Amino acid sequence: MKIQTLFFGITSDLVETNDLEITISENSSINDFKVFLKKKYPKLENINSYAIAVNETYAEGNLILKEGDVVAIIPPVSGG
Amino acid sequence: MKIQTLFFGITSDLVETNDLEITISENSSINDFKVFLKKKYPKLENINSYAIAVNETYAEGNLILKEGDVVAIIPPVSGG
Amino acid sequence: MKRTSIKITSKKLDLQECYNFVEDDSCGGISAFIGTVRNDTQGKEVLQLDFSTYKPMAIKEMQKIADLALEKFPIHKIAIHHAEGMLQIGEIPVIITASSKHRKATFEACEFAIDTLKETVPIWKKEYFSDGEVWVNAHP
Amino acid sequence: MKRTSIKITSKKLDLQECYNFVEDDSCGGISAFIGTVRNDTQGKEVLQLDFSTYKPMAIKEMQKIADLALEKFPIHKIAIHHAEGMLQIGEIPVIITASSKHRKATFEACEFAIDTLKETVPIWKKEYFSDGEVWVNAHP
């Protein structure tokens, strides 16, 4: 299935894009997605941690993704 | 000796003046002054408490007054 | 450099003026507290408030609060402005602003300043109701 | 009646606008927190800051903070406005205002809102130095 993936802050520099369509197998969890992402973009190892939002809401690692979800890669925020 | 006495807030209503020259004996303390004041203006009993400032600074009851001091009667404040 | 701005005035207080005084390139945050005249007290409708002051002493006490805030908290500057005379509902009796490199101190300084002002500064307000007037806090 | 005002904009933030939104005749106090761009970070001179956002999600998270503040504290209204794009030293990335009948809640609500915003809202800043740029917090 196809997952639209958005990169923000330092992660957009590391992967050199803001927006990407990623194809992963059905019933993948967010944790599966993160493993896949690190394999595809080893540079993401350069940051200590990042959060994931699915459809504009923070999501836990065990959430199962579905076709059409928008996944955002959220490095540590620094607003204010 | 003569003590210029200023009344503020509710106390100026109770004594019906803002400013008064009071003559008391030499070496009077603030506590003496307060006793004198209550005798002269029994209506001051109508408020629970008031502070005294001497020359624009809060003063304790045992402070000895001197000629020319300006004493202010400070009922509970309510600024802000 | 003056690090405190103290004022008692019968003109309208100006939030931007208090902001501009404390603003500085070295600061990352500014907090402000603005007192406003409320339309009721204990369920009773208030029409207006009259603020009277023992002005020279009030200025001194406000200055003490500002100086103490600079000692107690790592703030850069602080402004404390108070109005006198008759104020209508929604008008502003007091503005306090404080600036600092980091935000925590600005909250602490503003809260300390307004709490202390309400305890020590010789300013009195009289509430006007449709059926009379009352000195606030006179009979606590 | 709308009790929250949430905004992300590339225009200058307006303190008076945030004040006016929360001001109400039933309120006796308003607190404000204004973030400002500081000219140094850990002793190094900062030239400017660039704020980028995941805007639709950032708006939602700011709304959550405002709604939670209304639940947690007895405040009447709250405004949370954030800037995006390039800001110069002294300019304002964020303004938060809260109003209440009594002042304590306004301080608590502003402090809660800015603390939470800095933890949860998907906004990122890049610091520009004379010798390069750094994403803030990227390597905590």
Side-chain angles (χ1 to χ4, degrees), chain D residues 54-123:
Chain D
Y54 181 15
K55 196 163 178 175
M57 181 174 165
I59 295 274
K60 282 185 191 175
E61 291 292 325
M62 286 160 70
Q63 184 67 53
K64 276 184 202 167
I65 294 170
D67 291 343
L68 199 52
L70 286 174
E71 263 177 50
K72 281 173 76 87
F73 309 104
I75 55 170
H76 181 63
K77 288 185 177 183
I78 182 166
I80 308 178
H81 290 191
H82 204 291
E84 61 181 353
M86 195 68 88
L87 295 192
Q88 306 303 312
I89 305 305
E91 289 191 323
I92 298 175
V94 63
I95 299 178
I96 295 168
T97 55
S99 60
S100 176
K101 199 158 177 178
H102 301 293
R103 68 188 182 280
K104 185 81 186 164
T106 67
F107 286 110
E108 288 172 340
C110 282
E111 196 162 9
F112 164 78
I114 183 63
D115 288 352
T116 310
L117 182 149
K118 283 173 179 273
E119 281 169 13
T120 65
V121 178
I123 297 178

Side-chain angles (χ1 to χ4, degrees), chain A residues 22-24 32-41:
Chain A
I22 286 179
T23 304
I24 52 165
D32 299 332
F33 182 85
K34 285 173 94 165
V35 168
F36 177 88
L37 210 62
K38 279 213 175 164
K39 215 173 285 173
K40 192 168 157 82
Y41 297 106

Side-chain angles (χ1 to χ4, degrees), chain C residues 13-80:
Chain C
L13 298 186
D14 183 342
L15 177 56
Q16 194 62 45
E17 176 186 335
C18 294
Y19 178 89
N20 291 346
F21 176 79
V22 300
E23 198 277 330
D24 191 90
D25 284 357
S26 69
C27 292
I30 293 173
S31 285
F33 176 76
I34 303 103
T36 51
V37 177
R38 210 168 66 207
N39 63 5
D40 91 282
T41 189
Q42 292 164 323
K44 198 169 172 186
E45 191 189 2
V46 175
L47 303 180
Q48 51 187 9
L49 285 185
D50 192 16
F51 286 86
S52 58
T53 75
Y54 181 14
K55 196 162 177 174
M57 181 174 165
I59 294 275
K60 281 185 190 173
E61 291 292 325
M62 286 160 70
Q63 184 67 53
K64 277 185 202 164
I65 293 170
D67 292 343
L68 198 52
L70 286 174
E71 263 177 49
K72 283 173 73 88
F73 309 104
I75 55 170
H76 181 63
K77 288 185 176 180
I78 182 167
I80 308 179

